[in-house]
Structure formats: C-alpha cells, structure tokens
C-alpha cells in the first residue's frame, strides 16, 4: 500500500499540463487548454485540461480524471504503476505504508539495460549471419531499428567489454549475467535480441531468439526488479498510436509475429512474453482498446491458450468492450501467414474472428452431449462459474439467454438455479443529472466545493445532520464527507478526486466534474462564487429547519408536544427568520 500522504504530495507537485502535454498537443483556450481527445477519434477538440483544477475532461466521450487517471488510461498502467511512473518523473521514490521503499531496483538499472541494448544493436551491424537471418525472415532495416533489434554474439563474456566492472551485482540483478559456482557469464549468446520496453519507453528486459540449432529457441530475461513478464506485453510501446487509430489490438504469441506483422503494415499487434495471458495482461489490453483480438495457432495448445485468455478477460468485460479469438490454419503462425499471404488476407481473417460469447458457449457445449438430460445438466454446471464472473449487464443477460436456450430451460429457471437476480449481480450506475432540471442545492454545493475547495472553511457543520429528513440521500452524505475531508486537509480538485477514488462518493464527484468547467466559463470571480456558495449553504440549512419544524407540527397534532418541543420549534423559527434576512452569515448562533 502507498500512503495517501505521499499520493497527495505527489499530486500537489505535478502539473497536469506537463503530464498530458507529453502525449497530447495542447493549445491554450481561455483559462484552460484544449486538444482533440486521445481516447476517441474526433476532428473538433473537446478534450479540456484545467491547470487550476489539475484535471481533464472530454466533452465528447466523457473521459476524465487527474494526472494519475490520465497515465493509467493513456499508458495502460495499473494504479501503482501510474504512481511509480509519475513519481519517477519528479525523481521521487515510492514508500509503502510501513515506510519501506517500493522501488527496490538500483537507480541505474534501466541505464544498464540501455547500455546493453546499444551494444547488441552495434553487434548486429557487424554480423553478416544475423543480418542475413533477419533478411530471410523478411525484415527491413527500418523495422529492425523501430524495435531496437540487436544481436548477442557467441562467446561467454562479451559484456565484459562494455561494463568496466563485470563483477558488479547490478549485472546479475538486471538479468544480463549469470553467476554461480564461482563462474560468471553472459546470459544471452548467439541470439537475435528483442528489447522489451515498458510504458515509459525504458528497456526493462530482452527476448533472445537463437541462431541455428540450440535450446531453448527463445530465451527471456528472468524476473527482475525492472521486469515482470506476467505484466508486460512486447511491442505495446511501439504499437500504442496504431492501436488507437485501428480501434483494436491483436495479441500474438511471439516476438517475430509482432515484427513480421509490423513489417507488413499491421502495427497494432503485441505479444505475451512466453506466458499465458494473465489478468494483468487482460486489464492492460482492455485499457488500450475497446476491441482485443487474440490470435493463436489452431492446434490444441493454441485453443488452451485462448481459453486461458478468455478466463482472465471475463471479469474485466464491460458492454462497450469486445474480445474475440482468431485461430490460424494448422501449421501457420502470424509470421508465416502474413509473409506468404500478405496484409489484406490476414486482416480479412481478423474480420472472421470468433466472438468471446461464441467461443465460450461453443467450447462448453462441445464437452457434453446436449441431446441428453445428463449432458445438459453438466453443461449448466460447467457454465455457472463463467456466467457468475461477467459484470457487463447486457452481455451477461445475452449469454444467460443463450445458455438457457442450449440447455432447454427458461431464463427465469436458469437465473433461479444460478441465484442470479434478473437485474443483475452488477453495480448500479450512479444517478445521472437530468439536463432539463436545475441541479439540487446539494449538487450545487458539491460543484462549488470541487471548484474552490477553500470554500469549506466558510461553514461550520454545527447542527447540520446529513442523515436527517429534508436533505438525506447519497448526495448529502457525499457533501458531509467532502466538507469533513477539506476541513482536515486543504487540497486541490485533483487531490479530492484521488482521495475518494473507488468509493460511491468518488463516483458521484467524478460525475459532476464537467460542471466545474461551466463555472469557469461563466466568468464568476472568487467573491461571486463565495456569495453563491453561502446562499446555497443557507438554503440547505433552511431546508433542514423546515423538515424539523414539520416533524414537530405533526407531533403536536397527536397532542404529545412537550415544553421542550415547543422551545425547539421556537428556536427553529428564529433560525429560519435569521437565514431569510441575513445575506452574509452562513451560521445561526443563539
């Protein structure tokens, strides 16, 4: 766990204009900056970044967030990776809750990998054998340069020539050198070298393809402080622009598949690193594109790999995301197929990829005899754990209907059997503002506090009860928690979003962020915003006064009024009169 204090400090030091500006060409637009959205295709800029609020919002597709959210969405990073990335840009190391450093790698470990990569590239230029091999595989110098391909020559200690201290522990830590039993030698020898690059463009590992005979045919860097193969995808850094333009990403199994497809103009391919698709891979892929296409060999091993990818993708699916599977003809892989048949035929084959829902039902039904009652019972038994993982409401409903149809049962019977409520097992979406109605007084207060957090110091919670009649509800509860947070922690808008990330209050606060730009566009000054805020706060107090007075009046009709009730009613009447007459004070004191 990373301490919240560190995250808040990180956000206070960051400038979102610099963070976003590294990837998007921003232009000044009044008090803010604008650009065409990096998350969807558009011709007219609708992507707006606020330097004062330190967050972004796209009025076209609805994407929004702070600097951490942008790095996660644009770079395909998870939460911790995004924080590490941003901290690294500021030269900060990331502590955990105990104060232990999360980043354990040597400060120059990435530099060591970069130095090794340059050595391998230089060696490729000297090796006619390696160059001939790449030409035979149909690769041009331009593609080899784009992917930084190199060559590790034969010999046991070639790296000794570029690293002055070949005995340094960092070389072993980086996975470049093997040490044991008194011996020390280069891990990669006589191999074509494929640098593995992370989302920041740093070389974090290598994949080596042996030249000629030898085992293993492919050798990856070991797990290191820089490199975790279950989280990384080969070629993703180079493919991000093409993935965005094509609105899809193709996942293949090997380095040569990626570079061969790129050689033929299919630049939106990536590869797993000698492992099955992991949940981390699936999460990263679905952040990069709304359509993920897994491309595997058509043999049993390929189908097993596809099934593993399906299992790890199911819990992450949403109704706007699509996952499909392409099984190549027997004996073909993407490299051989595209070299022999070309780009057009490969893309035609991609267009015939099998949808995840079809692959799921087809695979499950192939394992049983649907013509017998026992087979259909087993089919339902096998389908239940997969259906229970789907959180996409529309896809979940459609798949339940299909499974029920194949099992010859009614949908209601299946949902009863699987203990699934007709509405779902999925999260209820937060309420949306009705554009035809004026925002409630609570929403108005939330918007102004998000816009100008310092307004929180103007109010005293006093007797305000956000659980009481008159103002209770999700919005009011969020307002109370927001005021409490701001009273203890003076922060900016981006930090507010971060503090409430993942909570119901956070979803609500993110929903209202577009309204903050409206406040800016209205050109209201600090004094005008403060006056509006005080007026809305008094209105909220008045609403609660009236609700309490109504309750006491109802009690009086039953004849159960006490002297204390009468005194309370009179005090509330005084407070209501005070609020209606006083234009500046926000709190009533007796």
């Amino acid at each position: 766990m990373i301490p919240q204090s560190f995250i808040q400090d990180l956000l206070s030091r960051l400038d979102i204009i610099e963070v976003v500006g590294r990837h998007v060409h921003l232009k000044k637009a009044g008090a803010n900056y604008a650009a065409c959205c990096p998350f969807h295709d558009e011709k007219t800029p609708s992507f707006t970044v606020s330097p004062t609020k330190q967050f972004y919002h796209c009025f076209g597709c609805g994407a929004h967030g702070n600097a951490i959210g942008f790095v996660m969405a644009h770079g395909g990073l998870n939460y911790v990776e995004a924080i590490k990335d941003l901290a690294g840009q500021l030269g900060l190391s990331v502590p955990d809750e105990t104060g232990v450093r999360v980043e354990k790698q040597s400060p120059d470990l990435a530099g060591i990998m970069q130095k090794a990569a340059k050595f391998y590239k230089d060696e490729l230029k000297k090796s006619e054998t390696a160059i001939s091999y790449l030409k035979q595989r149909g690769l041009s110098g331009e593609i080899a340069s784009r992917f930084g391909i190199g060559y590790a020559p034969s010999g046991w200690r070639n790296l000794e020539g570029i690293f002055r201290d070949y005995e340094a522990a960092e070389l072993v830590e980086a996975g470049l050198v093997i040490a044991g039993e008194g011996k020390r030698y280069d891990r990669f020898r006589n191999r074509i070298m494929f640098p593995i690059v992370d989302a920041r463009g740093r070389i974090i590992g290598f994949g080596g393809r042996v030249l000629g005979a030898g085992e293993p045919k492919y050798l990856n860097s070991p797990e290191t402080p820089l490199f975790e193969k279950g989280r990384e995808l080969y070629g993703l850094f180079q493919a991000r622009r093409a993935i965005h333009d094509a609105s899809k990403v193709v996942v293949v199994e090997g380095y040569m598949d990626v570079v061969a497809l790129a050689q033929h103009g299919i630049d939106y391919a990536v590869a797993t690193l000698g492992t099955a698709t992991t949940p981390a891979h699936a999460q990263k892929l679905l952040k990069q594109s709304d359509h993920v296409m897994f491309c595997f060999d058509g043999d049993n091993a390929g189908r097993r790999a596809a099934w593993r990818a399906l299992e790890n993708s199911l819990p992450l699916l949403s109704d706007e995301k699509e996952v499909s599977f392409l099984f190549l003809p027997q004996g073909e892989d993407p490299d051989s197929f595209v070299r022999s048949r070309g780009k057009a035929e490969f893309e035609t084959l991609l267009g015939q990829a099998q949808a995840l829902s079809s692959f799921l039902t087809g695979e499950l039904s192939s394992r049983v005899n649907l013509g017998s009652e026992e087979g259909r019972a087993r089919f339902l038994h096998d389908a239940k754990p997969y259906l229970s993982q789907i959180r996409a409401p529309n896809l979940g409903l459609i798949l339940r209907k299909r499974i029920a149809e194949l099992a010859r049962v009614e949908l209601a019977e299946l949902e009863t059997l699987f203990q699934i409520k007709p509405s779902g097992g999925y999260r209820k979406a937060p309420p949306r503002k009705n554009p035809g109605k004026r925002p409630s007084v609570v929403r108005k207060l939330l918007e102004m506090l998000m816009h100008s957090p310092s307004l929180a110091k103007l109010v005293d919670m006093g007797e305000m009860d956000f659980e009481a009649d008159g103002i209770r509800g999700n919005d009011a509860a969020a307002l109370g928690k927001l005021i409490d947070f701001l009273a203890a922690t003076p922060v900016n808008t981006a930090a507010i979003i971060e503090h409430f990330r993942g909570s119901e209050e956070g979803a609500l606060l993110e929903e209202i962020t577009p309204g903050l730009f409206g406040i800016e566009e209205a050109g209201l000054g600090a004094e005008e915003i403060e006056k509006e805020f005080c007026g809305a706060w008094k209105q909220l107090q008045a609403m609660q006064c009236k609700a309490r007075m109504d309750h006491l009046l109802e009690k009086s009709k039953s004849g159960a009024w006490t002297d204390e009730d009468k005194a309370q009613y009179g005090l509330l009447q005084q407070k209501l009169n005070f609020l209606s007459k006083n234009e500046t004070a926000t709190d009533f004191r007796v």
Side-chain angles (χ1 to χ4, degrees):
M1 295 293 293
I2 300 173
Q4 275 295 316
S5 58
F6 176 83
I7 296 170
Q8 298 293 350
D9 180 54
L10 176 66
L11 286 169
S12 70
R13 297 183 186 215
L14 288 167
D15 182 356
I16 196 169
I17 302 301
E18 290 184 7
V19 174
V20 175
R22 293 189 183 99
H23 309 280
V24 180
H25 182 60
L26 295 171
K27 290 185 178 180
K28 198 81 167 66
N32 300 312
Y33 289 78
C36 286
C37 181
F39 304 115
H40 80 288
D41 292 323
E42 62 178 9
K43 295 181 180 179
T44 303
S46 61
F47 182 80
T48 304
V49 186
S50 169
T52 55
K53 307 297 166 284
Q54 289 292 300
F55 70 88
Y56 67 91
H57 179 79
C58 176
F59 290 91
C61 67
H64 59 267
N66 56 19
I68 296 173
F70 180 84
V71 171
M72 290 172 67
H74 192 266
L77 305 182
N78 64 29
Y79 185 64
V80 173
E81 289 170 339
I83 292 173
K84 288 182 181 180
D85 181 88
L86 291 167
Q89 293 175 26
L90 297 178
L92 302 175
S93 57
V94 183
D96 66 14
E97 289 286 8
T98 63
V100 178
R101 296 295 176 185
V102 175
E103 300 265 13
K104 293 184 175 65
Q105 68 260 27
S106 171
D108 61 349
L109 208 59
I112 289 172
M113 300 299 280
Q114 186 66 44
K115 192 172 182 179
K118 184 180 184 305
F119 168 75
Y120 294 139
K121 283 187 72 173
D122 291 343
E123 289 299 309
L124 175 62
K125 297 172 185 176
K126 302 175 187 177
S127 174
E128 292 184 8
T129 303
I131 292 172
S132 176
Y133 171 81
L134 293 177
K135 285 182 176 179
Q136 288 172 11
R137 300 296 295 261
L139 298 186
S140 66
E142 188 275 327
I143 286 295
S145 177
R146 185 196 303 180
F147 287 91
I149 296 173
Y151 172 63
S154 299
W156 291 95
R157 293 168 66 104
N158 289 298
L159 292 177
E160 193 171 18
I162 63 164
F163 292 107
R164 187 172 302 173
D165 184 7
Y166 190 73
E167 302 299 317
E170 287 83 359
L171 295 180
V172 176
E173 191 178 12
L176 294 171
V177 168
I178 296 174
E181 299 181 0
K183 298 179 181 179
R184 182 176 284 255
Y185 53 93
D186 295 355
R187 179 179 299 275
F188 299 102
R189 306 177 305 280
N190 192 32
R191 290 179 181 271
I192 298 293
M193 298 296 287
F194 300 87
I196 301 164
V197 181
D198 69 6
R200 293 164 57 182
R202 302 179 307 167
I203 295 173
I204 57 175
F206 292 96
R209 203 278 186 199
V210 70
L211 279 182
E215 292 295 334
K217 181 191 266 188
Y218 285 95
L219 177 66
N220 285 328
S221 290
E223 299 273 318
T224 73
L226 279 177
F227 176 54
E228 186 180 350
K229 64 183 179 181
R231 305 194 69 84
E232 302 297 336
L233 293 159
Y234 177 72
L236 180 58
F237 181 78
Q238 294 89 342
R240 285 188 301 177
R241 182 75 251 178
I243 290 170
H244 175 269
D245 293 343
S247 298
K248 59 177 173 281
V249 55
V250 175
V251 188
V252 294
E253 294 186 88
Y255 307 106
M256 282 304 303
D257 293 326
V258 172
V259 295
L261 289 172
Q263 180 68 57
H264 288 80
I266 301 170
D267 300 318
Y268 47 88
V270 300
T272 53
L273 301 168
T275 66
T277 303
T278 66
H281 287 146
Q283 183 179 54
K284 187 169 287 192
L285 289 162
L286 287 164
K287 282 183 177 179
Q288 289 293 321
S289 178
D290 288 343
H291 189 183
V292 179
M293 311 181 78
F294 291 98
C295 180
F296 295 106
D297 298 346
D299 57 14
N300 288 335
R303 297 193 77 85
R304 285 196 300 271
W307 189 254
R308 180 72 179 275
L310 177 147
E311 290 178 319
N312 287 324
S313 299
L314 274 179
L316 303 170
L317 289 176
S318 57
D319 287 324
E320 67 273 15
K321 301 289 184 180
E322 183 178 357
V323 172
S324 54
F325 298 86
L326 171 62
F327 297 100
L328 294 175
Q330 196 72 28
E332 294 275 22
D333 57 31
D335 175 20
S336 64
F337 189 96
V338 77
R339 281 194 288 127
S340 63
R341 306 197 199 185
K343 174 183 178 180
E345 196 164 338
F346 184 81
E347 290 193 320
T348 297
L349 209 58
L350 285 177
Q352 300 167 4
Q354 188 177 15
L356 177 144
S357 55
S358 175
F359 181 42
L360 174 64
T361 55
E363 188 69 19
L364 291 176
S365 60
S366 70
R367 301 174 184 177
V368 300
N369 175 16
L370 289 177
S372 72
E373 286 80 359
E374 290 82 0
R376 293 194 296 276
R378 177 60 186 268
F379 174 66
L380 287 172
H381 174 272
D382 291 349
K384 182 178 179 179
Y386 296 102
L387 290 180
S388 66
Q389 293 182 61
I390 299 172
R391 294 292 176 265
N394 297 336
L395 178 63
L397 175 61
I398 291 168
L399 269 170
R400 292 198 299 276
K401 283 185 174 181
R402 180 58 180 153
I403 295 292
E405 179 185 341
L406 290 170
R408 302 182 197 176
V409 299
E410 296 296 325
L411 175 61
E413 294 173 324
L414 179 143
E415 290 179 334
T416 300
L417 182 66
F418 288 1
Q419 296 181 326
I420 297 173
K421 295 180 180 180
S423 58
Y426 36 83
R427 294 180 191 170
K428 183 180 179 182
R432 295 283 179 182
K433 273 198 293 189
N434 185 335
K437 293 183 179 180
R438 294 180 62 188
S440 69
V441 64
V442 175
R443 282 275 174 124
K444 192 174 180 180
L445 287 164
L446 283 168
E447 283 187 359
M448 287 188 284
L449 281 170
M450 289 285 287
H451 181 275
S452 305
S454 61
L455 292 171
K457 70 178 185 292
L458 298 177
V459 300
D460 184 338
M461 294 288 278
E463 295 181 357
M464 185 63 73
D465 182 0
F466 291 101
E467 296 292 324
D469 290 337
I471 60 170
R472 69 169 63 189
N474 292 338
D475 290 8
L479 178 60
K481 289 182 180 179
L482 178 57
I483 293 173
D484 284 341
F485 172 63
L486 293 177
T489 317
V491 293
N492 62 20
T493 308
I496 294 172
I497 293 173
E498 199 56 41
H499 176 77
F500 289 101
R501 180 187 291 274
S503 65
E504 287 186 20
E505 294 80 19
L508 171 62
L509 295 176
E510 287 195 15
E511 182 188 336
I512 68 173
T513 52
L516 309 194
F517 289 102
I519 294 175
E520 291 186 352
E521 290 169 4
L524 297 176
E527 289 186 6
E528 293 172 294
I529 293 174
E530 182 176 319
K531 186 176 179 180
E532 281 213 27
F533 177 79
C534 291
W537 181 256
K538 287 195 297 178
Q539 186 180 348
L540 191 67
Q541 289 181 303
M543 288 167 58
Q544 190 167 81
C545 270
K546 290 176 181 176
R548 288 175 176 173
M549 290 171 71
D550 289 343
H551 173 73
L552 289 170
L553 283 174
E554 285 297 316
K555 189 177 180 181
S556 72
K557 293 177 182 178
S558 66
W561 245 26
T562 64
D563 290 340
E564 184 180 344
D565 290 334
K566 292 177 184 179
Q568 179 68 22
Y569 187 87
L571 189 61
L572 289 169
Q573 185 68 61
Q574 288 181 49
K575 183 173 182 178
L576 198 57
N577 291 337
F578 174 84
L579 292 170
S580 65
K581 292 176 182 178
N582 197 304
E583 294 184 357
T584 56
T586 59
D587 293 291
F588 172 75
R589 294 287 181 270
V590 178

